[in-house]
């Protein structure tokens, strides 16, 4: 199943769409000990997309969803590393809904109450008590929040893609697409939608997936990652929230190799990302300055996407080896 195409926004539309009110903080990478990495994979063109997890050293790869009639996509870890919220996509109503499960894939509970709306892009709030998501009913697209039972629903306001609240809960980052091909920008605002600021321009073609560093001092994103313009490689960059200190930390060229970011590790020492190389994919990690490149899963036809690095539950007994 193909994901729903998000409506493009002009520059002015992106600004108007982001006048939010009453925003509840959404997920960034929460500070903590490094746990498992979650991502989605489609094994064959005809197969449903499923969610997998793996240790940061590449060991103990697990498929944790086994949906037979739908796709499981966009996993997002709870702050304590015990649960994953994700999106279920179907070919019939409800076409996209939000679900919650344990970290091992057990006890899936679907939280979307109606077939008349698409609910997607879910993430946890920093206290783990609420879920923040995008809702589209065919006319209105807006951010909403709800509690972990799917109740106490609150409409937040119109906006764009992949909202992430800074670790201190004060700023909101998101991506807005232009109506021009390969054009998308990185924005931040206060969590109430005020003080809108464009961190990276539309010409950067910022991919939807982006993340705050656990200390809140940088954002990581993929440049030229929207639509993969021909002959141009996507590369990972970091930038300060005020738009200064832009730094490309990968340097691929020619369009056959792409680096697309997932997230920071909870301890802030690593960035996990997908490397695409002439049709094959791999899962890698590196330090935030681009050094110490390490393979987690080697290049193959196995293609991890929408990658999120979770925290290790405090009482977990198994060792999550880090290099």
């Amino acid at each position: 199943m193909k994901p729903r195409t998000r409506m493009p926004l002009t520059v002015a539309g992106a600004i108007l769409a982001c006048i939010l009110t009453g925003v509840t903080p959404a997920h960034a990478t929460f500070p903590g000990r490094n746990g498992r990495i979650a991502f989605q994979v489609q094994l064959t063109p005809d197969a449903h997309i499923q969610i997998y997890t793996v240790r940061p050293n590449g060991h103990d790869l697990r498929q944790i969803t086994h949906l037979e009639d739908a796709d499981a996509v966009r996993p997002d870890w709870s702050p304590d590393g015990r649960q994953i919220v994700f999106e279920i996509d179907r070919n019939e109503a409800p076409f996209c809904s939000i679900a919650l499960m344990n970290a091992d894939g057990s006890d899936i509970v679907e939280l979307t109450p109606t077939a008349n709306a698409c609910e997607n892009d879910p993430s946890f709030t920093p206290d783990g008590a609420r879920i923040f998501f995008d809702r589209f009913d065919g006319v209105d697209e807006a951010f909403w929040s709800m509690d972990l039972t799917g109740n106490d629903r609150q409409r937040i306001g119109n906006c764009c893609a992949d909202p992430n609240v800074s670790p201190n809960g004060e700023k909101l980052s998101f991506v807005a697409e232009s109506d021009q091909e390969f054009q998308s920008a990185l924005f931040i605002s206060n969590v109430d939608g005020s003080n809108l600021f464009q961190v990276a321009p539309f010409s950067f073609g910022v991919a939807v997936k982006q993340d705050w560093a656990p200390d809140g001092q940088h954002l990581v994103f993929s440049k030229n990652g929207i639509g993969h313009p021909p002959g141009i490689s996507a590369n990972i960059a970091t930038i300060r929230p005020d738009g200064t200190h832009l730094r490309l930390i990968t340097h691929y060229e020619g369009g056959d190799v792409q680096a697309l970011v997932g997230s920071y590790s909870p301890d802030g020492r690593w960035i996990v990302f997908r490397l695409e190389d002439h049709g094959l994919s791999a899962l890698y990690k590196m330090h935030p300055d681009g050094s110490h490149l390490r393979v987690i899963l080697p290049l193959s036809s196995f293609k991890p996407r929408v990658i999120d690095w979770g925290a290790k539950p405090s009482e977990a007994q198994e060792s999550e080896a880090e290099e």
Side-chain angles (χ1 to χ4, degrees), residues 67-140:
L67 303 185
E68 297 180 354
D69 61 349
D71 295 332
V73 300
R74 301 181 184 274
D76 185 88
W77 286 99
S78 64
D80 61 8
R82 294 176 177 275
Q83 292 180 298
I84 293 173
V85 66
F86 65 104
E87 177 184 333
I88 296 178
D89 288 348
R90 297 182 175 90
N91 285 320
E92 57 187 26
F95 293 101
C96 37
S97 64
I98 293 170
L100 189 65
M101 63 182 170
N102 293 331
D104 63 0
S106 63
D107 297 333
I108 294 177
V109 177
E110 211 159 343
L111 303 178
T112 296
T114 176
N116 298 321
C118 176
E119 296 186 343
N120 62 93
D121 254 349
S123 59
F124 281 94
T125 55
D127 62 2
R130 296 186 67 79
I131 293 167
F132 195 82
F133 60 98
D134 177 83
R135 185 178 190 274
F136 178 63
D137 63 8
V139 177
D140 176 61

Side-chain angles (χ1 to χ4, degrees), residues 146-163:
M146 61 184 170
D147 65 25
L148 302 192
T149 68
N151 297 312
D152 189 23
R153 288 169 160 258
Q154 300 173 17
R155 186 184 185 280
I156 306 302
N158 294 321
C159 199
C160 316
D162 193 35

Side-chain angles (χ1 to χ4, degrees), residues 23-31 124-127 162-174 187-191 210-219 241:
V23 172
T24 302
H27 175 272
T29 294
F30 301 114
F124 281 94
T125 55
D127 62 2
D162 193 35
N164 287 273
V165 168
S166 60
N168 65 8
E170 296 179 359
K171 297 290 183 180
L172 179 73
S173 66
F174 55 89
F187 285 85
I188 65 169
S189 69
N190 292 340
V191 291
Q210 43 84 28
D211 193 32
W212 290 87
D215 65 4
Q217 297 301 303
H218 290 86
L219 289 148

Side-chain angles (χ1 to χ4, degrees), residues 7-302:
M7 294 182 296
L9 297 173
T10 63
V11 176
I15 293 173
L16 290 174
C18 294
I19 306 303
L20 310 180
T21 57
V23 172
T24 302
H27 175 272
T29 294
F30 301 114
R33 301 167 66 201
N34 295 342
R36 297 180 70 86
I37 298 167
F39 49 86
Q40 66 185 55
V41 172
Q42 186 175 28
L43 291 180
T44 68
D46 296 328
H48 285 294
I49 302 170
Q50 306 290 350
I51 294 172
Y52 291 70
T53 66
V54 71
R55 292 186 182 187
N57 59 9
H59 296 168
D60 194 22
L61 177 66
R62 303 175 187 174
Q63 181 179 338
I64 63 168
T65 63
H66 302 269
L67 303 185
E68 297 180 354
D69 61 349
D71 295 332
V73 300
R74 301 181 184 274
D76 185 88
W77 286 99
S78 64
D80 61 8
R82 294 176 177 275
Q83 292 180 298
I84 293 173
V85 66
F86 65 104
E87 177 184 333
I88 296 178
D89 288 348
R90 297 182 175 90
N91 285 320
E92 57 187 26
F95 293 101
C96 37
S97 64
I98 293 170
L100 189 65
M101 63 182 170
N102 293 331
D104 63 0
S106 63
D107 297 333
I108 294 177
V109 177
E110 211 159 343
L111 303 178
T112 296
T114 176
N116 298 321
C118 176
E119 296 186 343
N120 62 93
D121 254 349
S123 59
F124 281 94
T125 55
D127 62 2
R130 296 186 67 79
I131 293 167
F132 195 82
F133 60 98
D134 177 83
R135 185 178 190 274
F136 178 63
D137 63 8
V139 177
D140 176 61
E141 184 168 15
F143 291 154
W144 288 63
S145 73
M146 61 184 170
D147 65 25
L148 302 192
T149 68
N151 297 312
D152 189 23
R153 288 169 160 258
Q154 300 173 17
R155 186 184 185 280
I156 306 302
N158 294 321
C159 199
C160 316
D162 193 35
N164 287 273
V165 168
S166 60
N168 65 8
E170 296 179 359
K171 297 290 183 180
L172 179 73
S173 66
F174 55 89
V175 175
E177 294 182 30
S178 169
D179 54 5
Q180 298 183 34
E181 192 175 22
F182 310 131
Q183 298 279 304
S184 53
L186 179 63
F187 285 85
I188 65 169
S189 69
N190 292 340
V191 291
D192 64 359
S194 63
N195 292 329
L196 185 70
F197 178 74
Q198 185 172 318
V199 179
F202 281 86
S203 62
F204 273 27
V206 177
V208 169
K209 194 78 167 65
Q210 43 84 28
D211 193 32
W212 290 87
D215 65 4
Q217 297 301 303
H218 290 86
L219 289 148
V220 65
F221 66 94
S222 303
K223 185 175 183 285
N224 297 315
I226 189 78
H228 295 328
I232 299 176
S233 292
N235 280 289
I236 297 171
T238 61
I239 195 168
R240 289 192 180 274
D242 63 2
T244 64
H245 293 83
L246 172 68
R247 182 178 187 179
L248 280 173
I249 58 174
T250 64
H251 304 277
Y252 300 105
E253 297 179 349
D256 291 324
V257 181
Q258 316 277 350
L260 294 153
V261 77
S263 72
Y264 281 91
S265 62
D267 69 0
R269 295 182 59 240
W270 299 94
I271 290 171
V272 63
F273 68 101
R274 177 174 90 251
L275 183 71
E276 296 183 353
D277 190 345
H278 293 81
L280 300 178
S281 294
L283 191 65
Y284 274 78
K285 64 184 179 183
M286 62 184 167
H287 285 337
D289 63 0
S291 67
H292 293 80
L293 190 67
R294 299 287 187 270
V295 178
I296 300 173
L297 297 173
L299 280 170
S300 72
S301 59
F302 186 81

